[in-house]
Amino acid sequence: MILTICPNPSVDCTIELDSLNVGKLNRIENKVETYSGKALNVAIGVGRLEEECIATGFMFENHQKTFEHVLEKAGVKHDFVLNGGSARTNYKIIDKKAMLTEINDRGEEVGRENQLKLIEKVKELSEISDIAVMSGSLPKGVEPSFYGEVLSVIPERVKVIVDTEKANMLEAIKSRKLFMAKPNVPELERFASMTVRTRRDMVTAAAKYLDMGVTYVLISMGAEGAIITDGHENYYCKSASVAVNSTVGAGDSMIAAACVALMKGVPMAEMLRRAVAAGTAAVTTSGTNLFYKEKYMEIYAKVQAERF
């Protein structure tokens, strides 16, 4: 069983424009609303790969039924801590130059009582899980230390994967041994306090995670593919050439495929290959919609991981 923990779900409104003209009138060509959050995206990806998954985290009353319907449609079980109010709305503006501008809301505040409820719920659900993923930002009123509080109650036998910004990541790493961290390149640079240009630079930067006890670092590189390293072996997998509709959710799709690969017990290079296939498949869909299994399988046949 794969457990995903989403502390900050969101309504993602993707707006497509011919071009973004700041300070001028802009006319929308297409608009798509999806109900997500990084760990919820992971859960949906796992569901589409037909592996058992349960999603937890904070949920907001005004959007509860819609989020739950989306998860159920993907075959994902759910057990949330309910909070008053509405989920935050994030705006993702895409122009014809394939440039993405993001405007993220902070949403409703979550009090300490509900924070403690989620810690207890994760403790309970992780007892029946093999892998746990916690990813994304934290809602208003929740400190970075909450990452550590949540992850510290998960049994040591459970493989924990984390995808979040530096402050949250540091708290997560302090709380327990992480199986995997999944930064993108800007996150990697911020965490390691260095600029990266080459694959070797990325491996050097990833050593900061490894030195702090993380077992694997999976680095998403956008259209260039991804790297995985454990400090001893390094593998690179290039993305297949596809028409890009939206890059949103690609990293979450990579984690979903990596989780399913872990459940199958495949080697590190094969896990990377599956992750890149899912991430590449995700960019072919519009808005924040994730990959579908048929496209994933098509791209999987085209990509290979190589040691370097």
Side-chain angles (χ1 to χ4, degrees):
M1 170 94 90
I2 297 167
L3 169 67
T4 69
I5 307 158
C6 182
N8 207 8
S10 62
V11 179
D12 285 345
C13 181
T14 302
I15 297 169
E16 295 179 7
L17 308 171
D18 182 56
S19 63
L20 177 60
N21 300 303
V22 179
K24 298 181 181 180
L25 176 66
N26 292 274
R27 298 192 184 277
I28 295 173
E29 293 195 353
N30 188 40
K31 183 172 79 170
V32 179
E33 281 193 349
T34 49
Y35 297 82
S36 60
K38 290 183 70 63
L40 295 185
N41 289 342
V42 173
I44 292 167
V46 169
R48 289 184 179 173
L49 292 175
E50 300 172 3
E51 188 65 56
E52 189 176 11
C53 183
I54 184 164
T56 191
F58 299 121
M59 185 48 64
F60 297 87
E61 288 178 351
N62 294 345
H63 289 105
Q64 178 188 3
K65 291 185 178 179
T66 307
F67 274 94
E68 291 179 350
H69 173 73
V70 169
L71 290 167
E72 288 162 6
K73 189 175 178 182
V76 176
K77 300 173 186 175
H78 49 80
D79 187 358
F80 294 110
V81 172
L82 198 59
N83 204 71
S86 301
R88 64 201 173 110
T89 300
N90 293 334
Y91 297 91
K92 303 177 188 299
I93 303 167
I94 302 171
D95 65 27
K96 289 295 177 66
K97 299 175 184 175
M99 293 292 291
L100 172 65
T101 302
E102 298 186 78
I103 305 170
N104 287 355
D105 188 10
R106 290 194 66 194
E108 305 281 354
E109 185 167 335
V110 175
R112 186 59 182 167
E113 182 180 352
N114 276 349
Q115 293 176 40
L116 293 173
K117 285 181 181 178
L118 182 55
I119 292 168
E120 284 303 309
K121 193 171 290 294
V122 168
K123 184 177 181 180
E124 173 191 341
L125 294 173
S126 62
E127 290 291 343
I128 57 170
S129 302
D130 302 288
I131 298 168
V133 178
M134 187 169 181
S135 58
S137 62
L138 295 169
K140 192 186 304 180
V142 183
E143 297 298 322
S145 58
F146 185 68
Y147 253 86
E149 290 184 282
V150 171
L151 298 180
S152 67
V153 303
I154 298 174
E156 284 300 317
R157 63 169 183 80
V158 177
K159 294 179 172 70
V160 173
I161 298 172
V162 175
D163 178 10
T164 190
E165 288 286 351
K166 183 175 181 178
N168 299 336
M169 180 65 77
L170 287 170
E171 293 293 336
I173 289 173
K174 285 195 301 184
S175 71
R176 60 166 294 134
K177 185 174 179 61
L178 301 186
F179 184 79
M180 183 185 291
K182 197 225 66 72
N184 57 30
V185 173
E187 289 166 344
L188 178 70
E189 291 182 322
R190 286 192 290 270
F191 191 85
S193 300
M194 64 176 283
T195 300
V196 300
R197 292 187 175 86
T198 67
R199 297 182 203 171
R200 286 293 171 189
D201 288 344
M202 292 180 197
V203 170
T204 299
K208 182 166 182 180
Y209 294 89
L210 301 172
D211 291 345
M212 297 177 76
V214 179
T215 304
Y216 293 99
V217 182
L218 174 61
I219 306 163
S220 54
M221 302 162 57
E224 293 302 309
I227 285 171
I228 193 168
T229 180
D230 65 357
H232 304 288
E233 294 182 296
N234 314 310
Y235 289 93
Y236 168 70
C237 183
K238 183 173 175 57
S239 298
S241 180
V242 296
V244 176
N245 281 301
S246 172
T247 60
V248 180
D252 306 324
S253 298
M254 290 178 67
I255 294 176
C259 286
V260 175
L262 283 171
M263 292 295 288
K264 306 292 185 186
V266 305
M268 181 166 67
E270 174 64 12
M271 180 166 59
L272 175 64
R273 181 186 179 193
R274 296 185 185 196
V276 169
T280 306
V283 305
T284 66
T285 61
S286 61
T288 55
N289 197 4
L290 301 180
F291 69 92
Y292 289 94
K293 188 174 181 180
E294 295 77 11
K295 192 66 175 179
Y296 161 80
M297 294 302 298
E298 176 191 325
I299 292 172
Y300 171 79
K302 299 177 180 178
V303 297
Q304 294 292 334
E306 60 186 49
R307 189 170 179 176
F308 70 95

